[in-house]
Amino acid sequence: MTIRNTIAAWLGRADTDARAETAEADRQAGRKSFAPPAGTLVFSGAGSDAWTERSYPALARTGFMQNPVVYRSVRMIAETAAAIPMLLYDGTAEIEDHPLIELLRRPNAATDGSGLVETLCGHLLLSGNAYLEAGMLAGEIRALHALRPDRVRVVEDRDGWPEAYEYRVGGSVRRIAAEGQGDKPAPLLHVRLFHPLADIAGYPPLAAAQTALDLHNAASRWNKSLLDNSARPSGALVYKPADGGNLAPDQFDRLKAELETGYAGSARAGRPMLLEGGLDWKAMALSPKDMDFVEARNGAARDIALAFGVPPMLLGIPGDATYSNYTEANRALYRLTVLPLLNRLCGAIGDWLGGHYGLPRLQLRADLDRVDGLSAEREALWARVSGVDFLSRDEKRQAVGYGTGR
């Protein structure tokens, strides 16, 4: 008895050690050990996690080109900013006739001024970086071109500052100096959004909404697959032979592999199964009400709109009551999103072009008097100023943004 007990104990320890080694190997290989009840094979239909890359091409493709919320948010911000006229000032005096005005009206032969601003805003929203190159001829700017951010690479010096920019198209690489000659600025203007972990690169709003973007896209694909396959739920495959017993280990592994390859993933969601030999299918999935894909998609859409600064009401997303009416939401879009972005571009472009023309006091400003979305604020300001009796006519004109009368 003593020998048999010793052998049994040794075998038990060996079996325990073998299971521990198998579990450790599975853990190192990224697999989870699975020990279902005898005769039951639970199938969840879940695949491995897949997240969108944060590169500009990946975000542009899966976001702007495949997601309606991202597409509409970017288009709304960029088109609204491009529709606001810009004025040129030398200090506090407005300039009505200057070569820079004509250059901004027609920056190149293929693009007008509104198209250039729309492109730059789109690059900032999707990439966090915008590049504007000046086409020089005989020392003068003759054209402005917006460069795609994914084609531009910043060349850093030993201290981490930009030394040059490389613009690559196919197999052709063109090097652009990061500093100008003499008192002239560089021929390339780099505008970037704030990035907490990078000095010379911007962080795009779409990257902050990457999780919501993937959730929204995955919910759309999953719902489409369920509709294509009659919305059949997942569950457990139970083996109940007439004479009792369990599946052999090789049979269990083969059946599990067939289920994973044939029925896992959104592309094969709800595919009907053909069962035989004592196999029974038990549905275990949650009901559509419990899963509530629609509300999950709406929540992801609101997160995407939040990252871009667009009121969800303007995108037609239900369930948002932040703003009392459409007019208030539209005014919030101008004040909180469009105008800060446009002022950022106007300040950078104005200083850059002013340096090229030798006029460092030149400034570009948005013409807020021609913004229809701010008409209510403008009327309220005029009413308040006109009712003040201790200001002269010229002082009232200055208070509302106009120069003194002539």
Side-chain angles (χ1 to χ4, degrees):
M1 294 294 295
T2 304
I3 297 177
R4 285 198 297 268
N5 292 339
T6 304
I7 294 176
W10 180 82
L11 290 177
R13 287 195 301 269
D15 183 69
T16 302
D17 295 339
R19 287 197 300 267
E21 292 176 359
T22 303
E24 178 64 17
D26 290 341
R27 187 188 65 79
Q28 295 179 359
R31 302 187 299 269
K32 294 182 179 179
S33 58
F34 179 63
T40 303
L41 178 61
V42 179
F43 173 63
S44 63
S48 59
D49 295 338
W51 300 99
T52 302
E53 298 180 7
R54 292 195 176 184
S55 63
Y56 174 77
L59 291 177
R61 187 176 300 107
T62 60
F64 185 81
M65 300 175 65
Q66 297 181 6
N67 189 279
V69 180
V70 176
Y71 175 83
R72 185 54 187 156
S73 298
V74 174
R75 287 291 302 271
M76 183 178 294
I77 297 173
E79 290 180 348
T80 302
I84 300 177
M86 290 185 291
L87 302 177
L88 182 63
Y89 287 85
D90 185 0
T92 58
E94 181 181 351
I95 301 177
E96 298 182 356
D97 186 16
H98 193 275
L100 193 151
I101 299 178
E102 183 63 24
L103 177 65
L104 293 177
R105 188 191 69 83
R106 191 70 177 181
N108 56 70
T111 309
D112 60 355
S114 298
L116 179 65
V117 174
E118 180 180 348
T119 301
L120 294 176
C121 291
H123 288 169
L124 283 175
L125 295 174
L126 296 177
S127 172
N129 301 275
Y131 300 92
L132 185 62
E133 184 183 11
M136 309 294 295
L137 181 62
E140 296 182 359
I141 299 180
R142 298 300 179 88
L144 297 175
H145 298 277
L147 306 183
R148 270 177 43 179
D150 59 317
R151 293 178 174 176
V152 179
R153 187 180 73 89
V154 182
V155 180
E156 304 177 13
D157 59 12
R158 58 187 302 176
D159 296 326
W161 294 101
E163 183 179 53
Y165 297 90
E166 289 184 353
Y167 184 68
R168 181 182 300 272
V169 180
S172 175
V173 180
R174 184 162 55 90
R175 192 179 181 91
I176 305 173
E179 296 183 359
Q181 298 179 355
D183 57 349
K184 296 291 184 180
L188 183 68
L189 174 65
H190 181 194
V191 183
R192 55 186 177 272
L193 301 181
F194 169 70
H195 195 312
L197 300 178
D199 297 326
I200 56 177
Y203 191 79
L206 186 55
Q210 179 187 15
T211 302
L213 171 64
D214 291 336
L215 176 60
H216 195 274
N217 288 342
S220 300
R221 291 192 299 267
W222 187 266
N223 285 336
K224 176 63 166 58
S225 299
L226 288 177
L227 292 176
D228 290 342
N229 297 308
S230 302
R232 304 296 184 192
S234 297
L237 191 61
V238 182
Y239 178 61
K240 292 183 178 180
D243 53 352
N246 297 323
L247 289 172
D250 57 340
Q251 293 177 325
F252 184 91
D253 294 338
R254 180 175 59 84
L255 183 57
K256 181 180 178 181
E258 290 179 357
L259 287 175
E260 291 178 349
T261 57
Y263 300 95
S266 60
R268 294 176 289 273
R271 177 180 293 181
M273 299 179 64
L274 180 61
L275 306 178
E276 61 179 346
L279 295 176
D280 184 23
W281 178 260
K282 299 295 184 182
M284 296 175 57
L286 299 175
S287 65
K289 177 60 179 177
D290 295 330
M291 301 191 76
D292 209 351
F293 277 118
V294 175
E295 182 55 33
R297 291 183 71 248
N298 290 338
R302 283 190 288 269
D303 289 341
I304 295 174
L306 175 65
F308 282 107
V310 177
M313 181 182 295
L314 301 180
L315 299 174
I317 301 174
D320 183 83
T322 305
Y323 303 95
S324 59
N325 52 52
Y326 191 87
T327 303
E328 182 181 347
N330 191 51
R331 186 164 59 251
L333 173 66
Y334 275 98
R335 283 298 182 186
L336 302 178
T337 302
V338 175
L339 289 181
L341 181 63
L342 184 59
N343 290 336
R344 176 73 180 277
L345 282 177
C346 288
I349 296 175
D351 293 341
W352 180 60
L353 292 179
H356 278 286
Y357 282 98
L359 299 173
R361 288 168 51 88
L362 285 182
Q363 297 179 6
L364 282 176
R365 301 178 188 173
D367 188 2
L368 301 183
D369 291 338
R370 297 174 62 181
V371 178
D372 296 335
L374 302 178
S375 58
E377 294 183 3
R378 193 161 52 249
E379 293 174 359
L381 175 62
W382 290 350
R384 291 196 304 269
V385 173
S386 62
V388 177
D389 56 1
F390 57 83
L391 293 178
S392 65
R393 180 175 179 272
D394 288 342
E395 289 173 338
K396 291 181 179 180
R397 288 177 58 88
Q398 292 180 354
V400 296
Y402 293 96
T404 57
R406 296 181 177 85

